[in-house]
Amino acid sequence: MKIIKKELPIFKTKIENSKRVNKELLYLINLIPKNPYDNKDSTFVSHTDYDLPKKMKREWWDYFLNIVGPYVDKITKQLDCKQCDIIDYWFQQYTPGSSHGWHNHMHSQFSNVYYVECPKNNGTEFKDFNIDCEEGDLITFPSFLIHRSKENKENLRKTIISFGCDFLFTPVK
């Protein structure tokens, strides 16, 4: 088998006023009761709402959706799609020693990671390549790509927001 096209639609953008946005996000995330996640295998996340009830109020998401919406709209247009549906969303915080093992997200077409806090060289690591990321960056990539959050060896916390997207393409007649 031969790879015909290696290029993939991967987007990276900086969110405007990210320092102010991140400060507000951290305040709102801290309203969520502490909830570590440990699968006893390759993942220990210090704090997340990933496995909390979906009906639970998440003020951080209401705030963030207003911020990230225009960026998602731009990606929708760049992909020449009619609309984008956000499938799921969650935050994760990694204190020293925590990590998220190799995985992908098959419940959506594209995955997104927004870096609220990101120690140097501690962005998302992909199986075959890396993207340099820092606080305020938003990356969007095909959900089948295998990626991880390697062990946080810094003495700083890493906080990300992740969400899945499905794009609807409508061909021109």
Side-chain angles (χ1 to χ4, degrees):
M1 184 180 308
K2 187 170 138 182
I3 296 176
I4 303 299
K5 188 172 183 179
K6 191 172 181 175
E7 298 83 20
L8 294 167
I10 299 173
F11 303 88
K12 178 182 166 187
T13 189
K14 179 71 83 180
I15 299 292
E16 286 184 42
N17 302 312
S18 60
K19 287 190 186 298
R20 179 185 52 78
V21 167
N22 292 351
K23 185 176 180 182
E24 183 66 19
L25 283 169
L26 288 170
Y27 170 77
L28 294 170
I29 285 170
N30 282 332
L31 297 176
I32 303 292
K34 290 296 179 204
N35 183 50
Y37 177 83
D38 187 353
N39 75 357
K40 309 275 190 260
D41 184 21
S42 62
T43 300
F44 174 71
V45 177
S46 308
H47 182 36
T48 184
D49 62 350
Y50 176 77
D51 60 342
L52 293 176
K54 297 303 174 195
K55 291 183 179 185
M56 181 179 161
K57 179 70 175 158
R58 289 167 167 83
E59 291 180 52
W60 69 264
W61 176 252
D62 297 335
Y63 174 77
F64 185 64
L65 185 57
N66 286 325
I67 303 293
V68 79
Y71 296 92
V72 172
D73 290 344
K74 285 181 186 176
I75 293 169
T76 304
K77 287 183 177 97
Q78 278 191 275
L79 290 172
D80 200 22
C81 290
K82 180 179 180 180
Q83 75 183 51
C84 174
D85 293 327
I86 294 178
I87 304 304
D88 202 3
Y89 49 87
W90 60 95
F91 73 85
Q92 292 183 306
Q93 290 186 320
Y94 301 89
T95 54
S98 57
S99 65
H100 194 154
W102 293 111
H103 65 284
N104 61 5
H105 301 270
M106 294 312 298
H107 64 281
S108 62
Q109 296 167 337
F110 282 79
S111 294
N112 304 268
V113 178
Y114 175 67
Y115 298 90
V116 181
E117 297 175 304
C118 188
K120 190 165 179 60
N121 300 318
N122 209 349
T124 302
E125 183 178 19
F126 291 87
K127 198 74 164 170
D128 298 319
F129 62 93
N130 282 314
I131 301 172
D132 291 330
C133 293
E134 60 185 29
E135 292 176 10
D137 285 345
L138 171 69
I139 60 171
T140 301
F141 55 92
S143 292
F144 66 84
L145 291 176
I146 299 169
H147 60 284
R148 71 177 179 173
S149 184
K150 63 185 177 186
E151 182 180 346
N152 183 359
K153 294 183 179 180
E154 299 296 321
N155 202 18
L156 301 168
R157 184 175 62 189
K158 174 182 173 181
T159 302
I160 60 106
I161 291 173
S162 189
F163 59 99
C165 291
D166 282 348
F167 293 95
L168 174 64
F169 176 76
T170 304
V172 178
K173 295 180 182 181

